[in-house]
Amino acid sequence: MDLNYTDAERAFRDELRGWLEQNIPGDWQGRNGGGTMEENFAYLRAWQKRVHEAGWAGVSWPRQYGGRGATLIEQVIFTEEMARAAAPPLANVLGLTLIGPTIITHGTEAQKQRFLNRILSAEEIWCQGFSEPNAGSDLANLSTEARLEDGHFVVGRLVRTGDPYRCLRAQTPGTYRAAGGHA
């Protein structure tokens, strides 16, 4: 078994490595963890927008939906190179890794057009939350109810707790999305 990268995989790595060397914000290491939550999130959101504009956000997504169509090995290379370069994290992790791929697989074409680019660019931030009376964080006791409102199902309300980087209350009203419904 040959575990060496192919020529195409090395080219992918070298392209990404070069882009990261040219584009990681020079002040990232000095500001990591400093500033208010709102300042830090705005910074990470701007970083994700830059990554998206270069075609690297959603690296595993199909090209037709704004991704790069990366193979599994290229996805590993992407993760390794981001870590090697100590690059800032992407702001919309759940949107990129869970919500976007779900919309790509199961969404209508209208949903894909409406949401996917906004997830990639961090224009909209998507979250997933689990909590309800008598369940707390005990996922085994969760149940879901929805009500039909103006032709859309409304599934619960998004409640922000814990680490402020996770669900990011710093967003403007109307830009939150909860998996499975509106928040």
Side-chain angles (χ1 to χ4, degrees):
M1 175 185 281
D2 183 2
L3 298 178
N4 295 306
Y5 290 142
T6 66
D7 289 343
E9 291 162 348
R10 278 192 296 277
F12 178 91
R13 181 200 59 205
D14 293 346
E15 179 187 355
L16 174 59
R17 188 175 284 182
W19 187 85
L20 288 169
E21 287 170 1
Q22 295 295 312
N23 287 280
I24 290 178
D27 64 343
W28 168 241
Q29 291 304 321
R31 73 171 287 121
N32 192 358
T36 66
M37 183 189 77
E38 289 81 5
E39 292 167 342
N40 288 331
F41 185 64
Y43 186 94
L44 295 178
R45 204 171 186 185
W47 166 245
Q48 182 171 325
K49 183 177 181 180
R50 182 186 294 182
V51 172
H52 167 59
E53 288 170 350
W56 292 107
V59 68
S60 66
W61 291 21
R63 290 181 187 276
Q64 70 203 52
Y65 298 118
R68 193 167 276 259
T71 67
L72 183 57
I73 295 298
E74 290 170 337
Q75 292 171 52
V76 170
I77 291 168
F78 177 83
T79 301
E80 287 178 339
E81 289 301 312
M82 290 286 282
R84 186 196 65 76
L90 300 177
N92 199 7
V93 173
L94 276 177
L96 293 169
T97 61
L98 178 66
I99 308 303
T102 300
I103 293 170
I104 288 167
T105 301
H106 300 289
T108 66
E109 196 56 38
Q111 290 168 328
K112 293 171 188 177
Q113 294 303 312
R114 162 63 180 89
F115 295 118
L116 294 178
N117 191 59
R118 289 177 177 99
I119 290 171
L120 288 171
S121 67
E123 181 181 338
E124 289 186 353
I125 302 300
W126 284 67
C127 304
Q128 182 178 22
F130 299 104
S131 187
E132 68 178 58
N134 302 319
S137 61
D138 179 5
L139 298 182
N141 280 325
L142 287 179
S143 62
T144 301
E145 277 187 38
R147 70 178 184 279
L148 188 59
E149 191 174 286
D150 297 325
H152 295 90
F153 283 105
V154 176
V155 183
R157 298 280 181 230
L158 180 61
V159 177
R160 181 46 211 102
T161 63
D163 180 2
Y165 271 81
R166 301 269 170 171
C167 227
L168 310 161
R169 64 180 161 77
Q171 296 306 292
T172 56
T175 61
Y176 287 119
R177 298 282 178 220
H182 302 287

